[in-house]
Amino acid sequence: MPRKFGKGEDGVEEEPSFGSFPSFLSRTSYGHALMGHGRFFVRGACGVTIHEKALIMEADDMERVLRRIAIEIVERNKGLTDVVLLGVQRRGVTLAHRLREIFRQTEKVRVPTGELDVTLYRDDTAMLRDQPVLHSTSIPADLTGKRVVLVDDVLYTGRTARAALDAIMDLGRPEMVQLVILIDRGHRELPIQPDYIGKCIPTSRSESVDVQVTEIDGQDRVIISDRSDSNV
C-alpha cells in the first residue's frame, strides 16, 4: 500500500514520489505516466495531473551549491568547533551527509551528523487523511551549547522549519540554530529565513518543487512541476 506522509515544505506529499520517471514506472499502483508533446505528464490516483515544467538543477549544480554552502558555514562559525549537522527527514538527511563528506575532504574534520523527524511536531497532522509515517531521529551528540546547522531541501511556508525548531528545543538548548536550504521557493507563512541558501526560485502556489537525490530517487536534480490543484 502507498505510504502517506503529508505535504512537506515543497508542497508535495513525500510518499509516493512522482519526481523520478523510472522509479515511478515501477510503482504502477500510484498512477500512470503519459508522454506527449515533449513533456512528462503524471496522472495520479486522485485525478491530479502533474507535468514537469523546468529543470532547475542537475548533479553538478547541486554539488557546486553544497560546496559553496560548506565554505559559508566554516566562515560564519570560524571553523567547525561545536558544529552539529541535523538533516530533516527525508532528503535533508542526504544533504546533511553530503555536507559532512565535504567537510571531511576540505577541513579534515568529522562533523557530528544526525537525522531529525519532525512529523509529530507538524501543525497539520490532524488534517491528514492517513496516519503519517514516522522516520528515524538520530542525534549524534548533546545539543546543549552546540551550533546546530539544520539542513532541509526546500523552504516554502516555513512550517516544517518551525516544527524542526520545536523538536530541537526538546532535545537540548543549543547555542544557536542555523538553517541550510537548498531551494527557497518563497510564499512564507511564518517569519523564518534561512542562513544559507542554495538558490531562490520564484514559484506560484500551483507549482511544486521536487528535489531528487541519488540515494532516494536514483538521480540528482531539482525540477519545478505544475499541478492542477494548489499547494497548501
Side-chain angles (χ1 to χ4, degrees):
M1 293 291 292
R3 298 184 300 169
K4 298 288 187 179
F5 177 67
K7 293 184 178 179
E9 274 298 311
D10 55 1
V12 182
E13 295 199 23
E14 292 202 0
E15 293 288 340
S17 173
F18 293 106
S20 177
F21 181 58
S23 63
F24 172 73
L25 286 182
S26 67
R27 306 178 193 181
T28 55
S29 62
Y30 292 157
H32 61 276
L34 302 174
M35 295 297 294
H37 306 292
R39 292 183 175 180
F40 171 36
F41 294 85
V42 175
R43 182 167 297 153
C46 296
V48 177
T49 301
I50 304 172
H51 72 268
E52 181 181 315
K53 288 182 63 176
L55 176 64
I56 303 302
M57 284 188 187
E58 296 183 283
D60 290 345
D61 304 313
M62 291 175 66
E63 175 72 12
R64 189 161 45 249
V65 162
L66 288 175
R67 289 191 175 276
R68 170 178 55 80
I69 289 175
I71 292 172
E72 293 175 1
I73 292 173
V74 173
E75 290 178 347
R76 179 172 297 194
N77 293 283
K78 297 180 172 58
L80 295 170
T81 302
D82 290 331
V83 169
V84 176
L85 293 169
L86 283 185
V88 178
Q89 291 280 12
R90 300 174 64 207
R91 288 160 183 79
V93 171
T94 300
L95 299 178
H97 282 283
R98 291 188 185 183
L99 286 172
R100 180 186 65 177
E101 180 60 20
I102 293 172
F103 291 140
R104 187 189 67 80
Q105 295 172 1
T106 60
E107 304 297 319
K108 311 303 180 187
V109 173
R110 293 186 179 274
V111 178
T113 305
E115 306 172 356
L116 188 66
D117 180 25
V118 303
T119 304
L120 297 180
Y121 292 86
R122 294 170 61 93
D123 61 7
D124 61 353
T125 53
M127 297 183 289
L128 299 178
R129 295 188 304 270
D130 301 283
Q131 183 176 358
V133 174
L134 300 180
H135 298 283
S136 64
T137 290
S138 174
I139 306 302
D142 183 2
L143 300 184
T144 299
K146 296 295 193 294
R147 292 171 173 255
V148 174
V149 178
L150 185 66
V151 184
D152 204 1
D153 55 352
V154 178
L155 182 60
Y156 180 33
T157 63
R159 294 182 183 274
T160 295
R162 193 276 314 160
L165 290 173
D166 285 351
I168 289 172
M169 295 309 165
D170 278 352
L171 296 168
R173 191 179 187 278
E175 177 184 336
M176 66 174 59
V177 179
Q178 300 169 0
L179 178 60
V180 172
I181 290 295
L182 184 67
I183 301 294
D184 185 346
R185 62 165 296 183
H187 302 288
R188 213 78 76 243
E189 295 175 359
L190 298 175
I192 290 176
Q193 296 298 328
D195 299 277
Y196 312 95
I197 305 173
K199 191 169 187 176
C200 292
I201 300 174
T203 63
S204 70
R205 288 185 177 269
S206 65
E207 295 172 327
S208 60
V209 177
D210 185 10
V211 174
Q212 299 175 358
V213 294
T214 301
E215 294 86 339
I216 298 174
D217 308 291
Q219 61 184 331
D220 284 346
R221 65 174 189 161
V222 179
I223 60 173
I224 293 180
S225 299
D226 206 3
R227 50 189 291 145
S228 59
D229 66 345
S230 298
N231 295 155
V232 177

